[in-house]
Amino acid sequence: MLSFLCIVLLSFSWLGSAQQNNHEGFLQCLPLHSDGSAAISKLIHTPIDSSYTSVLQSTMQNLRFNTTATPKPIVIVTPQNPSHIQAAIICAQKHNLQLRIRSGGHDYEGLSYVARDPFVVVDMTNLREVNVDVETSTAWVQSGATLGEFYYKIGNASRTLAFPAGFCPTVGVGGYISGGGYGGLLRKYGLAADNVIDAQLVDVKGRILDRASMGEDLFWAIRGGGGNTFGVVVAWKVNLVKVPPTVTVFSVPRTLEQNATKLIHRWQYIGSKFPQELLMAVLVGGANVSGSGGNQKTVVATFNSLYLGGADKLLELMQESFPELGLVKEDCREVSWIEFVVFFSGYPPNSSLDVLLNRTPLPILRRSFKAKSDYVREPMPESAWEGMWEKFFIRINDTEAPTFFMTPYGGRMGQIPESQIPFPHRAGVLFKIHYLIFWDGGDNEVGQRSLSLIRGLYTYLTPYVSKNPREAYVNYRDLDLGTNNQGRRTSYRQARLWGLKYFKNNFDRYMRTRNNFRDEAKAVRVAVLLAKAKVDKELHEVGD
């Protein structure tokens, strides 16, 4: 019989080994729980593999989280079928590892590929199949597809079908839809998540569920509740929407010297009241212009529009509601919807649709950045805009210039009930503000100044944006609003501080669903621990 001391030392030895080599246990576990054990070995990337760094950085959008100090995953899994995801979930629980799910790598705070505790990244890049059914105006799209790939398949299948999603083609469908998702068709058809009709989800138990088997509470939560909370969505079934063969776009810049302030002030009153076929957003940023005294700093407001119709009708609408902009026919461009997607993705006019298949973000966007969001329910006074120019645009270093993008609501967004999905920002919203500031390098001096600048801008706008709560968009996740406690439980009261900002009155239902889900997860973890304890007991008995 082994002595008591020997048993204790052996137990500590096993515990230390588990902590140091849980990634080895995870790797050994994967083939046991997936179909085609030989195949999955080719889909695993560890820090000693030559492929590891390139896979990790392949879709990393925010270079602020690409430093030597940034925590790295101990393993990256690039599944090719749902069984590989099932294996990753089961084995991560068994070996006490966190999972991060990455579909496009655009998570603003790097949460799809960064964690504080030992973690594994499940990168969905190999799961990007798209099936478009023109007859039923529906499509199945896997979560690893980018919006560009999805648009490409739709555009090749039909020039009068579309999907109401965003402007950036390298965003992954999985994370995008899970947080709501908006774009040029927002005022006509609502969010991407509003148009989801089914989904394939791998849950905490490794089960593959669809809408019928997961139940309506869970189906409600995954459409706008944010990703990586309730499981891994493998694919979404969505309704495609009708668009005319010809749409009209324009992009008209105006500087302060061209009355940009008065134009923005006027736009606040009418942007959400246009017919729902028209969306006119405003991009604001600092710029240098040539003057009599040399280069001078100014602010440029660029009015970007998509109209579901021809240029002549758009000109009539603008002359009736917004003549101050001075739009002329030469500003307008008539294109198909898919050509609009290419143009507003940042590619030159007349580019081939093939550019949408490029999964690498444009270099101009792949830098360090910080983003924030706000919703505006009452028009801001002109003095508020003028104060903003002086504080945050005119008196800045060129490398620290913030930008913000204002998207009008109204139309269909004002008709959908706030409780339909977790995303609550509906009736009464005039427009959403998306703040961004870019810089080169990580948390260097320029980075710290940039963070201070955008936080100052956010503070400055406090009196003019939504209140009680100050609303925020969950897909523009902002850790300034709050985070979970590290190493200990986060209370409901703590989570509510930022949960209400993202979900408003939907937060309680969201948390009930999440708690039910966590109870299931806890039951699974307890079962795993009991099974391990049984194995340990048997090993001790053999030692005796």
Side-chain angles (χ1 to χ4, degrees), residues 277-296:
E277 288 77 20
L278 174 60
L279 181 140
M280 187 193 309
V282 185
L283 176 66
V284 179
N288 288 324
V289 294
S290 299
S292 57
N295 285 342
Q296 299 176 348

Side-chain angles (χ1 to χ4, degrees), residues 201-516:
L201 172 81
V202 181
D203 77 350
V204 67
K205 294 183 178 179
R207 300 174 299 185
I208 299 177
L209 307 175
D210 61 7
R211 179 175 183 172
S213 56
M214 76 175 69
E216 286 302 302
D217 274 349
L218 186 51
F219 185 64
W220 174 87
I222 64 175
R223 294 173 297 150
N228 198 29
T229 300
F230 300 99
V232 181
V233 177
V234 180
W236 306 86
K237 185 179 183 182
V238 301
N239 276 324
L240 302 179
V241 300
K242 298 289 186 182
V243 291
T246 298
V247 304
T248 305
V249 299
F250 66 74
S251 183
V252 176
R254 295 289 186 262
T255 64
L256 292 184
E257 295 73 23
Q258 296 169 316
N259 291 323
T261 306
K262 291 187 179 298
L263 291 173
I264 292 173
H265 185 256
R266 172 63 180 154
W267 170 87
Q268 296 177 110
Y269 291 88
I270 59 174
S272 62
K273 294 180 174 61
F274 280 127
Q276 62 185 12
E277 288 77 20
L278 174 60
L279 181 140
M280 187 193 309
V282 185
L283 176 66
V284 179
N288 288 324
V289 294
S290 299
S292 57
N295 285 342
Q296 299 176 348
K297 294 184 184 297
T298 189
V299 172
V300 178
T302 303
F303 294 81
N304 298 292
S305 183
L306 168 66
Y307 175 62
L308 301 180
D312 290 341
K313 180 60 177 177
L314 173 59
L315 286 166
E316 289 180 20
L317 286 171
M318 294 296 292
Q319 186 58 40
E320 177 184 332
S321 301
F322 198 20
E324 299 91 337
L325 184 63
L327 187 74
V328 296
K329 189 157 188 177
E330 288 72 22
D331 296 321
C332 300
R333 180 181 174 86
E334 292 186 333
V335 295
S336 67
W337 170 78
I338 194 65
E339 290 170 331
F340 149 76
V341 168
V342 172
F343 177 66
F344 270 81
S345 295
Y347 294 103
N350 303 317
S351 294
S352 165
L353 295 188
D354 291 348
V355 298
L356 296 175
L357 300 178
N358 183 5
R359 294 178 64 89
T360 304
L362 293 172
I364 193 173
L365 299 175
R366 205 174 191 192
R367 302 172 63 197
S368 293
F369 67 85
K370 174 67 180 177
K372 303 180 82 66
S373 61
D374 260 318
Y375 289 86
V376 178
R377 293 178 174 270
E378 298 289 339
M380 293 166 53
E382 272 193 60
S383 60
W385 298 105
E386 291 167 348
M388 196 189 315
W389 312 149
E390 180 180 350
K391 286 178 179 291
F392 301 102
F393 289 88
I394 303 302
R395 298 178 181 177
I396 55 176
N397 183 295
D398 292 339
T399 62
E400 301 172 1
T403 63
F404 61 91
F405 193 70
M406 300 185 291
T407 304
Y409 272 44
R412 179 64 179 145
M413 286 298 289
Q415 299 164 2
I416 298 173
E418 285 191 359
S419 60
Q420 177 163 301
I421 62 174
F423 179 99
H425 319 289
R426 305 284 189 174
V429 173
L430 298 181
F431 58 94
K432 179 178 65 60
I433 303 177
H434 178 199
Y435 312 82
L436 275 168
I437 191 162
F438 290 89
W439 70 91
D440 294 317
D443 288 331
N444 53 21
E445 183 180 347
V446 173
Q448 292 304 311
R449 290 202 307 269
S450 299
L451 290 172
S452 178
L453 184 64
I454 195 169
R455 287 165 178 159
L457 176 58
Y458 185 78
T459 299
Y460 171 83
L461 284 169
T462 302
Y464 310 111
V465 297
S466 59
K467 300 172 181 64
N468 303 315
R470 183 174 183 173
E471 301 169 48
Y473 178 35
V474 72
N475 255 1
Y476 295 160
R477 215 175 324 260
D478 180 5
L479 296 187
D480 289 352
L481 303 182
T483 63
N484 290 331
N485 292 328
Q486 186 173 2
R488 66 183 193 279
R489 180 177 174 272
T490 300
S491 70
Y492 168 82
R493 180 177 295 180
Q494 286 175 290
R496 198 170 186 268
L497 293 175
W498 67 86
L500 288 179
K501 297 177 186 292
Y502 291 133
F503 304 118
K504 295 181 64 182
N505 293 331
N506 294 331
F507 178 66
D508 284 344
R509 179 179 176 184
Y510 179 84
M511 287 302 295
R512 285 196 301 271
T513 304
R514 187 172 184 269
N515 287 340
N516 291 338

